[in-house]
Amino acid sequence: MRRLIYPALCASLVALSACSTERAASNDPYAGLDEAIRVWRTDLVASPSCPAPAPEAQVEGPGAAEGCRSFSVACKVEAELTEAEQADGVEAKALSAMRWEAWDPETMEFRQTSAAAEFVRIGEDWTRTEAPPVNLSTCSPLSPT
């Protein structure tokens, strides 16, 4: 009898934990932010920030076709909401910075570069705007705004 109860108990606990994880994710004001950052990366690759190397450069490997490689999120921090933003329906705000290597046509090599963006969530949707340069470790602005 004990052998039959144990598997049933385990299955019940797994099902219960799945439900609580879904509920927690739906209450997370930052749900979907990672996907918004992935979209940002895709947009960066398609932008002039990632000039594809000319065929005569004979670049091979990662970034050879796209002009950028080695993307990483350097920092990501929660930003405070103003009363006006809250009145406009903003539910969450975050500042993030990303670094990568971009092809430099002048030197014919990949160079480190970075960018920062502010993400704002209204409802289920995240919007992104460019942000001034930040410290890549802390996401603190490099200059007073």
Side-chain angles (χ1 to χ4, degrees):
M1 179 81 165
R2 185 175 179 188
R3 289 185 180 181
L4 295 175
I5 293 174
Y6 185 72
L9 179 62
C10 288
S12 297
L13 290 174
V14 168
L16 181 60
S17 69
C19 291
S20 64
T21 301
E22 287 174 17
R23 209 172 311 126
S26 68
N27 292 332
D28 179 6
Y30 295 95
L33 178 59
D34 288 339
E35 179 59 28
I37 292 172
R38 280 190 284 280
V39 169
W40 179 33
R41 179 201 180 283
T42 301
D43 291 347
L44 285 169
V45 169
S47 76
S49 298
C50 290
E56 57 270 13
Q58 298 180 359
V59 177
E60 296 180 8
E66 300 86 9
C68 288
R69 64 183 184 193
S70 304
F71 281 88
S72 66
V73 174
C75 61
K76 181 171 46 171
V77 297
E78 176 180 354
E80 281 189 49
L81 297 176
T82 65
E83 288 182 18
E85 289 170 327
Q86 290 174 344
D88 288 341
V90 174
E91 297 174 28
K93 186 167 68 169
L95 180 63
S96 182
M98 195 176 312
R99 67 172 59 144
W100 68 94
E101 294 178 346
W103 180 254
D104 183 343
E106 290 182 24
T107 62
M108 304 273 294
E109 63 186 10
F110 284 94
R111 300 277 180 145
Q112 282 286 327
T113 191
S114 63
E118 182 177 76
F119 293 87
V120 173
R121 179 180 174 200
I122 298 176
E124 297 297 315
D125 299 322
W126 285 94
T127 57
R128 177 187 77 240
T129 56
E130 279 189 46
V134 298
N135 177 311
L136 296 178
S137 297
T138 64
C139 271
S140 297
L142 291 180
S143 59
T145 54

